[in-house]
Amino acid sequence: MTSNLQSYFSMLLTASVLGALCAAFVGSAFEKYLRYLAALICVLLVLAPFRSFDASHLFPADISGADVSLPDGKTLSELAGEQAESEICAYIAQCLSAETGITATDVRIDIDWTETQPVIRAVRLILPPEDAHRTEEAAAWVEKTYGVPGYASGS
């Protein structure tokens, strides 16, 4: 251990002395670049021991991942998924109303998860009685707009 520490400090001292000598003996045209390079090498040498520093023991393991349980028993991943799903459903209902004039009373999405991302498999709409005759139009709009099967029914 002592030899490693000794060689580290001797390497740091050698780099700083060589940098100072190079800067002292070179003309003014390249002096600032050599000083910058010498300072950069010294900084890298000072930081070199920290590149293998493992700080994982400083943080509790139960808060490092997305599977932390919240007081209601849900994980952060589940909570984020529910929030995203409700926002997507609200967005679909808003777009359907704005583009077709059909107001959905409820929007549900069927989601499957691949290894890396969620995939929306279908969108299910529930229409109010006054728009119940437009179920096919709403389903076709979903398929045309989002490229997933749309299913609509009247309430």
Side-chain angles (χ1 to χ4, degrees):
M1 179 72 174
T2 307
S3 65
N4 287 341
L5 192 58
Q6 206 171 23
S7 65
Y8 169 72
F9 281 116
S10 66
M11 185 173 52
L12 183 61
L13 180 65
T14 303
S16 60
V17 168
L18 285 177
L21 288 175
C22 286
F25 291 119
V26 174
S28 63
F30 295 108
E31 183 177 355
K32 66 180 177 180
Y33 299 112
L34 285 175
R35 283 187 190 201
Y36 173 74
L37 184 61
L40 183 64
I41 290 172
C42 287
V43 166
L44 289 175
L45 286 174
V46 167
L47 295 177
F50 298 107
R51 69 183 164 156
S52 62
F53 179 69
D54 182 19
S56 63
H57 67 279
L58 299 176
F59 303 103
D62 63 341
I63 62 167
S64 63
D67 292 332
V68 176
S69 292
L70 299 174
D72 61 358
K74 295 180 181 175
T75 64
L76 290 174
S77 299
E78 291 171 340
L79 189 62
E82 288 175 4
Q83 179 67 29
E85 183 177 348
S86 68
E87 289 180 14
I88 291 169
C89 290
Y91 177 76
I92 291 172
Q94 179 185 6
C95 290
L96 176 69
S97 178
E99 292 183 22
T100 65
I102 300 171
T103 304
T105 56
D106 192 23
V107 177
R108 304 284 172 155
I109 55 176
D110 296 334
I111 301 176
D112 285 337
W113 283 86
T114 65
E115 287 185 25
T116 58
Q117 64 185 5
V119 176
I120 297 177
R121 299 289 181 205
V123 176
R124 301 184 187 284
L125 306 169
I126 298 177
L127 305 180
E130 60 269 10
D131 286 333
H133 65 283
R134 300 178 73 185
T135 57
E136 289 181 18
E137 179 186 354
W141 178 84
V142 167
E143 190 165 340
K144 178 182 150 213
T145 304
Y146 298 109
V148 296
Y151 303 100
S153 61
S155 57

